[in-house]
Amino acid sequence: VQLQASGGGLVQPGETLTLSCAFSGFNVDRYAIGWVRQAPGKEREGIACVNGRDGAVKYQTFAKGRFIISRDTKENTVRLQVINASPEDTAVYQCAADRQHNCLAIARLSFYDFYGQGTLVTVSS
């Protein structure tokens, strides 16, 4: 299982950014894939997840309305759009995969079987 996140960097408050995760080495129909983040001095936090079998999405409460997760099975990519970024979104963002195909089985959308290297997002003026 390989997961590689990209798209991080410095963004201004209020901007929208899109992170990408290229994945390989597993059958996407059988794995849930999601995004987590970890801010400095804080615990890892789940954001959103896509079911393996039916592509249904699930969000943590704080992420609803401001984060959008999408999966492209042809390009083997999962994206996370962060809308109206704020300094509180500053964190290392990682994509992750789980052998459970249903996101409901992933505790707090945070505890996956596999994690890729993260990409740092800094929101600052």
Side-chain angles (χ1 to χ4, degrees), residues 10-117:
L10 176 64
V11 297
Q12 300 275 339
E15 289 186 342
T16 294
L17 75 150
T18 300
L19 305 177
S20 295
C21 173
F23 60 84
S24 62
F26 59 94
N27 186 334
V28 67
D29 290 337
R30 297 183 180 179
Y31 282 64
I33 304 176
W35 286 90
V36 301
R37 69 182 183 181
Q38 188 163 18
K42 294 187 176 181
E43 293 186 351
R44 186 176 62 219
E45 180 178 48
I47 303 170
C49 177
V50 180
N51 281 357
R53 188 168 295 171
D54 59 12
V57 301
K58 182 172 174 62
Y59 294 93
Q60 284 285 58
T61 300
F62 79 88
K64 293 179 181 179
R66 215 166 55 78
F67 292 77
I68 300 175
I69 189 171
S70 61
R71 183 182 71 175
D72 187 329
T73 56
K74 292 183 179 180
E75 295 186 1
N76 280 4
T77 300
V78 173
R79 295 182 176 86
L80 182 71
Q81 190 175 31
V82 183
I83 300 167
N84 190 22
S86 73
E88 289 70 35
D89 294 322
T90 294
V92 173
Y93 286 72
Q94 291 176 281
C95 54
D98 198 275
R99 285 167 289 195
Q100 296 279 353
H101 69 86
N102 194 317
C103 297
L104 292 175
I106 300 169
R108 301 202 298 272
L109 299 186
S110 183
F111 295 92
Y112 293 80
D113 292 326
F114 306 97
Y115 297 86
Q117 286 189 329

